[in-house]
Amino acid sequence: MPDIGASGSPATDFSVSLLGEFVRLGVRDVVLSPGARSQALALVCAELERIGQIRLHVRLDERGAGFLALGLAVESGRPTLVVCTSGTAVANLHPAVLEAHHSGVAMILLTADRPSELRGIRSNQTTLQPGLFGVATRLCIDEPAPHGAGAEPGAAISLARRATDAATGLRSLDPGPVQLNLAFREPLSAPVTLTPELISGPAGLAESAAVLSEPILSADRPEPVFLVAGGPRTVVIAGTGAGPEAEEFARAGGWPLLAEVCSGARFGPNLVSAYRELLLASDLGGRVERAVVFGHPTLSREVPAMIAREGVETIVVAPTGSEWFNPGRRVRVFARAAAPDATAVEAAGTPDGREWLGRWVMSSRHLLAAGAARESIPMSDRGITREELAAMRAPVTRPMLADAVWRSSWPHDRLVFGASRLIRVADRRVPGKKISVHSNRGLAGIDGTVATAIGIALASQTGPAPQSTGVTRLVVGDLTLLHDIGSLLLTPGEALPRLQIIVGNDGGGTIFDGLEVAASARAEAINRVLFTPQQADLANLAAAYGWSYGLAASRSDLERALTSPHAGPSILEVPLVR
């Protein structure tokens, strides 16, 4: 960092060095919640935004801020900085930190704190912040308050590099959250003016920045590719985060691909969309001898039940992470990468290999076709009939909603599912399509879903070469929306996301219908403590937060709203029969 002279506030000088290095290391998005103790960081962020070095997102609620950062990092592939003040502000980041931990998403938390002399004496807004997130962080550093020493700019640069290394998993292959707990003394800030030249730094820093701004998964993998031989009757499972590698692997080996809707692998000739039903079939699922798992499967009970079954060999493949998917603790082979060997490729072309794949794929297609036929609208060559008109005016069902959203989404769009009943409906029925689908499945919680989708939309739609020129659609239940309603509050002057929130409103948490307790407990008790019915007026909520609002009470309303969404943020309410 070039010598710009002391500002009069060591907190500001340290913040300039720290944030300037993060910019050189490739960080582009910063999410900030306001507070007094973090003011030096905040004002430097404002300067960096002014000179075009970062995209700054200001949010009142730290919980929503954390999930916004999660969405930005997931879509961009870069670590996102989160800046907050001391006290409960830090604790509100915990849900997003846990999701990032279990999903392997790079987030760097800059949590402002009191200096050592103010800790442990009941000072206002002071608690034990270092280590607050426990094992969920890849690195936690409690940095003492700067006091203006000459070595502090270099220490800040080193701190930024260590944090970026740890968050991206560059050396550990275990990306995730990092906490830098930064103590600051008064004066808590001073005026500062930056220029792009000051932030670019000396030439000697260019090599470090180039290395750390590469994609997270570009680091050398210490383990060799596991070669999967031919022989056993094999299926390939693709869960969240599997990506196209799972589809390529299944196609190369000639094996059925059982891909969840949010896996990033739900496409290709080997796809088995109706995998749940077929895993229960004795002549298909009952004959599986080996499963190769990519990503994190979470949407069915049938997959972990099969893996835990006696006689099924399982290979789990994950390029990063330290926690492995292991139902029943029966998995014996873990690998960073996998490929079919020559015997597997040869076996794929044999009659037995073709028969095994063909039965899975054709059975799945027949099941999907039968379901579509039951729900199709009979069309007449002589104009619309009463039956056709009645079908178009019929109330929307969950399968109808899932199908319509899937049909309306294309590669230039983004699709996000909340952890509600609708993602499971979609997973059971939608056909293959190579589109970008996201969902918070690390812990599969409903919190922060709106904020995550906003982050995905902003990261994909902004910048000189946006990855998405379409719309981001978020499909949620009513409780998922209400749980994160505060994230609808957008900051004036910031870019607005092209985001359509599609709310399947059945007045409560009907996902609990699928639990065993629904068959044994009193209906009144289930309604009171599990369904948690609600009667919120979504139209008025949308108006209060400045979002456009629409109501789709019929199939024709739904199709029209999905094909012609508002240009900015909007909410589409879809009433569903409980």
Side-chain angles (χ1 to χ4, degrees), residues 172-174 221-226 316-322 324 334-338:
S172 67
L173 292 180
D174 188 22
R221 294 169 180 165
E223 300 180 38
V225 174
F226 185 84
V316 171
V317 183
T320 62
S322 59
W324 296 87
F334 302 95
R336 290 299 184 194

Side-chain angles (χ1 to χ4, degrees), residues 372-440:
R374 288 193 298 269
E375 297 156 8
S376 64
I377 303 174
M379 301 303 291
S380 170
D381 294 334
R382 292 176 291 180
I384 191 165
T385 65
R386 287 184 180 179
E387 291 79 9
E388 294 164 9
L389 184 60
M392 292 302 294
R393 290 177 174 175
V396 179
T397 64
R398 292 183 188 86
M400 187 192 304
L401 176 56
D403 290 347
V405 171
W406 192 256
R407 281 197 310 272
S408 302
S409 300
W410 298 100
H412 63 279
D413 298 321
R414 295 293 184 270
L415 182 55
V416 186
F417 282 100
S420 59
R421 191 170 180 175
L422 289 166
I423 189 174
R424 288 168 171 80
V425 173
D427 189 57
R428 283 185 176 275
R429 59 185 297 110
V430 298
K433 185 186 280 191
K434 195 173 184 178
I435 58 178
S436 181
V437 182
H438 296 284
S439 185
N440 286 342

Side-chain angles (χ1 to χ4, degrees), residues 217-229:
L217 300 186
S218 66
D220 293 338
R221 294 169 180 165
E223 300 180 38
V225 174
F226 185 84
L227 296 178
V228 181

Side-chain angles (χ1 to χ4, degrees), residues 384 389 392-394 396 400-401 404-405 407-408 471 473 500 502 550-567 570 572-574:
I384 191 165
L389 184 60
M392 292 302 294
R393 290 177 174 175
V396 179
M400 187 192 304
L401 176 56
V405 171
R407 281 197 310 272
S408 302
V471 65
R473 294 182 178 88
Q500 184 182 46
I502 302 154
L551 180 69
S554 67
R555 183 193 293 256
S556 57
D557 291 342
L558 177 62
E559 299 284 356
R560 185 165 50 249
L562 291 175
T563 54
S564 302
H566 290 276
S570 65
L572 177 65
E573 182 178 1
V574 184

Side-chain angles (χ1 to χ4, degrees), residues 518 520-528 531:
S520 59
R522 289 187 303 108
E524 296 83 359
I526 290 178
N527 193 61
R528 172 71 169 143
F531 285 162

Side-chain angles (χ1 to χ4, degrees), residues 126-186:
T126 306
T127 187
L128 187 62
Q129 293 180 191
L132 184 66
F133 306 115
V135 298
T137 54
R138 304 300 181 268
L139 176 69
C140 176
I141 296 177
D142 186 21
E143 184 70 12
H147 55 275
E152 286 173 359
I157 289 172
S158 176
L159 195 62
R161 293 177 179 178
R162 288 182 63 193
T164 307
D165 274 4
T168 59
L170 191 70
R171 295 174 177 83
S172 67
L173 292 180
D174 188 22
V178 164
Q179 182 191 11
L180 299 184
N181 194 64
L182 307 173
F184 293 123
R185 291 188 180 91
E186 296 180 352

